[in-house]
Amino acid sequence: MAASVLKAGVSFGSSQWMSGSKSIEVQKPGKPQRASFSIRASAAYADELVQTAKTVASPGRGILAVDESNATCGKRLASIGLENNETNRQAYRQLLLTTPGLGQYISGAILFEETLYQSTTDGKKFVDAMREGNIMPGIKVDKGLVPLPGSNNESWCQGLDGLASRSAEYYKQGARFAKWRTVVSIPNGPSELAVKEAAWGLARYAAISQDNGLVPIVEPEILLDGDHSIDRSLEVAEKVWAEVFFYLAQNNVLFEGILLKPSMVTPGAEHKERASPQQVAEYTLKMLKRRVPPAVPGIMFLSGGQSEVEATLNLNAMNQSPNPWHVSFSYARALQNTCLKTWKGLPENVEAAQVALIKRARANSLAQLGKYSAENESDDAKAGMFVKGYTY
């Protein structure tokens, strides 16, 4: 449902608001001049968008990302010797989404389109099972990355064509927030073209999502690939987020009705020196405070190939003092890795796998509250998951 657009004229004359026409007149020396600009009327879903964003960004909770494409989910299943078919994908996602008590730590889950329309093996729609578990359904709406002509071997994210109609259908199916992931590569520049394309695409997606009742998660992932320093990461992150918010504003996106999914500011994965959680927190919060308005309700970090423990430690370090936003997590591998290895595709391991998922969710819940300790974490949870050139 597209919001109506009002035309507003500005006339530099007497200082007053004119009822109905939204014209503004301001006295100025010399000959009066007239300028016009457009004002996007309040979206029909504005109040709902704000409430949805606040619900997802609620204390001690974060997002479980289970929106892997069928091809990427197949890689996960292959790692435990399972065939990539709909039955196995359904079984794995059912294990995750029906974990008892998960909603205490997980406020929302991002789904792939297949999962949004699936049911559990006993016939209950996944979206209904999630809501019963106090987990809000979300949906991945982008159509993936493709080469960006004219760039330095960079990419752009496709999916704007037909997005409005698809988003309306996703809302009818029960989704209440959306995700669009584009990427920026530091080793490849990044070029001005790639940064602007990423920012503009995110802004158009965000406006379309809001017009159809979905809270947009804004995710320009700055890839870990490279041997650059943490200072270089900070420089690029500030550039990217400045562009993103410029175009979000140009597209009249309601900041109170969005969520962000940024990369943490870290050195490149191949840099000779690792950063401590305290250093990651310092640089990341510096970037956010310089670039993100406090109107934004939630910052839901991606893990980007960090180990389960590393992602949790870094999040915990960022919550040692109050922030203007809810600073939390939207993890995929950093929540699922141990769970998947525990399950192994065997029905008799489902309960143990769900216990492993709850353990990771609880750890990140504590990190969101600034109360996490890494004592008694397993070696598996400490193992890095970065894959050079990783594709989703």
Side-chain angles (χ1 to χ4, degrees):
M1 182 185 299
S4 61
V5 178
L6 304 177
K7 273 296 188 182
V10 182
S11 192
F12 296 103
S14 60
S15 178
Q16 67 178 54
W17 282 95
M18 296 184 66
S19 176
S21 67
K22 301 297 185 186
S23 292
I24 310 170
E25 295 193 357
V26 183
Q27 188 64 47
K28 204 176 181 186
K31 184 179 179 181
Q33 300 180 21
R34 189 170 191 84
S36 296
F37 58 90
S38 297
I39 298 176
R40 180 169 176 248
S42 296
Y45 295 100
D47 290 343
E48 182 182 350
L49 292 168
V50 173
Q51 185 56 50
T52 296
K54 287 181 178 178
T55 299
V56 175
S58 54
R61 299 205 294 168
I63 294 173
L64 170 64
V66 287
D67 58 319
E68 302 92 345
S69 67
N70 289 347
T72 301
C73 191
K75 295 177 184 177
R76 306 272 170 89
L77 296 175
S79 72
I80 56 170
L82 285 188
E83 182 183 350
N84 183 17
N85 56 44
E86 184 175 355
T87 299
N88 287 335
R89 293 193 298 269
Q90 177 195 29
Y92 180 50
R93 282 155 176 169
Q94 178 171 322
L95 180 160
L96 297 170
L97 297 172
T98 62
T99 295
L102 187 63
Q104 182 178 348
Y105 312 112
I106 299 296
S107 55
I110 312 169
L111 309 178
F112 192 60
E113 187 176 71
E114 177 182 75
T115 314
L116 182 69
Y117 290 93
Q118 280 179 331
S119 298
T120 64
T121 50
D122 60 3
K124 180 178 291 186
K125 291 181 179 179
F126 272 131
V127 291
D128 292 337
M130 292 168 65
R131 289 192 179 279
E132 289 177 10
N134 198 29
I135 300 172
M136 189 168 291
I139 177 68
K140 168 186 164 70
V141 299
D142 69 76
K143 294 296 183 179
L145 301 169
V146 292
L148 176 62
S151 72
N152 186 24
N153 294 319
E154 294 162 291
S155 63
W156 67 283
C157 188
Q158 57 188 346
L160 290 177
D161 288 352
L163 179 58
S165 58
R166 287 189 287 117
S167 297
E169 289 301 317
Y170 296 150
Y171 183 92
K172 289 179 184 177
Q173 184 64 16
R176 289 298 179 268
F177 67 97
K179 175 213 170 176
W180 175 286
R181 172 186 177 264
T182 191
V183 301
V184 173
S185 169
I186 293 179
N188 287 353
S191 68
E192 289 284 340
L193 174 63
V195 172
K196 287 185 181 296
E197 174 61 43
W200 177 255
L202 284 165
R204 291 304 307 139
Y205 137 78
I208 293 167
S209 294
Q210 288 190 340
D211 274 354
N212 289 280
L214 302 178
V215 168
I217 293 180
V218 178
E219 181 185 359
E221 179 177 356
I222 299 172
L223 299 172
L224 277 175
D225 302 66
D227 60 0
H228 50 275
S229 69
I230 194 170
D231 290 288
R232 176 60 176 155
S233 293
L234 176 63
E235 179 185 14
V236 172
E238 289 185 350
K239 170 64 175 175
V240 169
W241 282 105
E243 292 279 344
V244 168
F245 272 99
F246 174 78
Y247 287 120
L248 287 173
Q250 280 206 333
N251 281 271
N252 299 299
V253 171
L254 177 67
F255 288 177
E256 292 87 348
I258 66 174
L259 297 167
L260 307 187
K261 188 170 179 176
S263 308
M264 297 179 191
V265 179
T266 67
E270 297 167 281
H271 189 64
K272 57 186 178 182
E273 295 180 7
R274 302 296 298 165
S276 68
Q278 292 72 30
Q279 189 179 21
V280 171
E282 176 191 353
Y283 274 74
T284 304
L285 292 174
K286 181 188 298 183
M287 182 275 293
L288 293 175
K289 289 173 181 176
R290 288 174 173 174
R291 293 293 182 264
V292 179
V296 174
I299 314 290
M300 322 298 285
F301 283 102
L302 59 88
S303 55
Q306 299 177 65
S307 75
E308 291 176 327
V309 170
E310 184 181 11
T312 310
L313 282 169
N314 289 340
L315 178 63
N316 185 70
M318 281 185 268
N319 282 295
Q320 294 307 300
S321 57
N323 292 301
W325 333 267
H326 173 83
V327 174
S328 192
F329 59 93
S330 177
Y331 294 163
R333 285 175 287 171
L335 279 169
Q336 297 180 42
N337 191 51
T338 300
C339 171
L340 181 64
K341 290 180 178 179
T342 303
W343 177 45
K344 299 177 182 176
L346 302 175
E348 60 267 30
N349 290 345
V350 166
E351 185 175 346
Q354 290 179 330
V355 169
L357 176 62
I358 283 287
K359 180 179 179 180
R360 288 262 50 88
R362 184 188 298 116
N364 285 291
S365 170
L366 290 170
Q368 197 287 310
L369 299 170
K371 300 177 180 179
Y372 168 73
S373 169
E375 291 182 11
N376 302 318
E377 289 281 17
S378 69
D379 289 339
D380 279 346
K382 296 176 183 177
M385 291 181 282
F386 170 75
V387 177
K388 186 175 183 178
Y390 185 78
T391 56
Y392 288 78

